[in-house]
Amino acid sequence: MIEVNQLAKKFVIENPKKLSEQERQDPRLKGRFFHSVKSVSFQCNNGQVLGLLGPNGAGKTTTLRMLSTALQPDAGSVVINGVDVIDKPLAARQKLGFLSGSTGLYGRLTGRENIAYFGRLHGMAEEAIEARIKELADLLDLHEYLDRRSENFSTGMKQKTNIARAVVHNPEVVILDEPTTGLDIMAAQTVLNFIRGLKKQGVPVIFSTHHLEEVSELCDRVTVIDQGETRFSDTIEAFKGLSDTSLSDSFLTTIAREA
C-alpha cells in the first residue's frame, strides 16, 4: 500500500525573463518560485491499479519523482507499507519499482546485461537475477532480443527492457510514468498485460497516462491532478459517474469544475 498526503514541491526560477507567456500566466508562479506541486494526495492499496491523469504540465511527473525519492518534497508525506519514503529513502527504494519517462539504457550493454546490472544494485544474488530475467523475458516477450546490444533496440524493445530492469527486484509498489507512450499496439498490449499480472500478485501499481482507454481497462482508482493540486481521487466507478457519455467528458468535467 502507498499513501500520499499533501505533497508539495517548488522550484527556483533562475531567469524569469526566459519564461514563456503561458508560463507567466500560470497561477503557480509566485515571485521567483514555481510551485509545480502544491497539494497532492491519494492512496493505492494492495492489488489496485491507480491511473494518474492530468493535462501536460499539471505536476504528474514531479509527483512521481517525489514518490520515487528522486526529488525531496518541500511538504507532505509518502508512506509505503509503513516505511516513510522521505525519512528513509534507501529503505523505500528497495520497495519501489520506478520507470520514469526519461529513463535510458546503457547502449553498449545487452538487454540482459542492463537488467542484471540493476539487479546487482539491489543486492540480488546472481542465481536470483538469472531466474528473474527468465521470468521477465517470458512476461514481457524479451527473449528475441535479450542478448542484443540495447543501442539498436526499437522504442518498444527499450521500454519493455526498462520495465524489466525497474521490477527485477520484485518491488512492493510499482510506479510507471506513461509506460505505453510511443509504443505500437502489440508492445503496448504486452505492457498492459504485465500490469494486469502485477495486480493479480497484489502489487499496487501507479501509472500516469493520457490514454483513457487504458484507465478504463486497468484501473481501480483514478487521481486527477491539475495545476499542482488533486482535483479528483476516487474509484473508477465514481470517475465514470461524473459523465453520462465518456471518460474524456469525466476528465474535462473535473478540470472545468475545479477551474
Side-chain angles (χ1 to χ4, degrees):
M1 177 180 183
I2 180 167
E3 299 172 275
V4 179
N5 188 43
Q6 296 184 330
L7 278 188
K9 181 67 180 178
K10 65 179 183 293
F11 298 94
V12 176
I13 304 300
E14 298 293 344
N15 191 344
K17 294 182 179 180
K18 291 186 177 181
L19 294 174
S20 68
E21 185 59 32
Q22 181 179 0
E23 290 169 331
R24 293 175 189 273
Q25 297 299 320
D26 195 309
R28 289 174 289 174
L29 181 63
K30 305 290 184 183
R32 293 186 62 86
F33 290 97
F34 183 76
H35 296 258
S36 178
V37 175
K38 296 171 65 177
S39 180
V40 168
S41 301
F42 57 83
Q43 72 177 46
C44 186
N45 296 323
N46 293 343
Q48 289 186 334
V49 176
L50 181 144
L52 188 63
L53 306 178
N56 288 332
K60 301 188 300 297
T61 294
T62 300
T63 296
L64 295 183
R65 292 185 68 195
M66 286 190 282
L67 303 190
S68 75
T69 75
L71 283 177
Q72 179 78 14
D74 296 322
S77 64
V78 182
V79 178
I80 297 176
N81 291 337
V83 174
D84 190 305
V85 172
I86 298 169
D87 289 344
K88 299 179 179 178
L90 292 179
R93 286 171 199 163
Q94 290 296 321
K95 297 178 177 294
L96 280 169
F98 177 60
L99 175 75
S100 75
S102 59
T103 302
L105 299 171
Y106 295 101
R108 292 184 178 274
L109 300 182
T110 65
R112 184 187 304 276
E113 289 168 340
N114 270 286
I115 300 168
Y117 173 71
F118 281 91
R120 295 184 191 107
L121 289 179
H122 283 287
M124 296 176 65
E126 292 299 318
E127 289 185 0
I129 291 173
E130 184 178 345
R132 181 63 169 157
I133 289 177
K134 183 181 184 305
E135 178 185 7
L136 290 169
D138 291 337
L139 293 172
L140 289 164
D141 193 21
L142 297 173
H143 288 289
E144 183 179 350
Y145 50 86
L146 194 58
D147 293 305
R148 290 163 50 186
R149 281 168 56 155
S150 59
E151 63 186 358
N152 299 317
F153 283 3
S154 67
T155 301
M157 294 175 185
K158 288 179 180 178
Q159 190 71 325
K160 290 193 287 185
T161 305
N162 272 324
I163 292 172
R165 66 105 195 130
V167 301
V168 64
H169 59 302
N170 282 303
E172 296 177 22
V173 174
V174 174
I175 301 170
L176 307 171
D177 191 2
E178 299 187 11
T180 62
T181 296
L183 303 189
D184 62 34
I185 293 174
M186 296 301 294
Q189 195 59 51
T190 298
V191 171
L192 296 180
N193 286 338
F194 181 73
I195 294 174
R196 290 187 182 95
L198 292 172
K199 179 178 177 177
K200 288 181 180 178
Q201 295 171 31
V203 177
V205 179
I206 298 170
F207 78 102
S208 65
T209 182
H210 291 292
H211 302 295
L212 292 177
E213 65 274 14
E214 296 177 357
V215 174
S216 181
E217 285 183 36
L218 292 175
C219 291
D220 303 283
R221 299 188 63 83
V222 175
T223 296
V224 179
I225 297 175
D226 187 33
Q227 295 184 345
E229 297 185 74
T230 301
R231 303 300 194 190
F232 176 91
S233 190
D234 208 331
T235 64
I236 183 66
E237 290 79 14
F239 186 61
K240 290 178 178 178
L242 296 176
S243 170
D244 294 330
T245 54
S246 67
L247 287 187
S248 294
D249 281 343
S250 293
F251 174 75
L252 294 173
T253 296
T254 300
I255 301 300
R257 180 181 62 192
E258 295 299 335

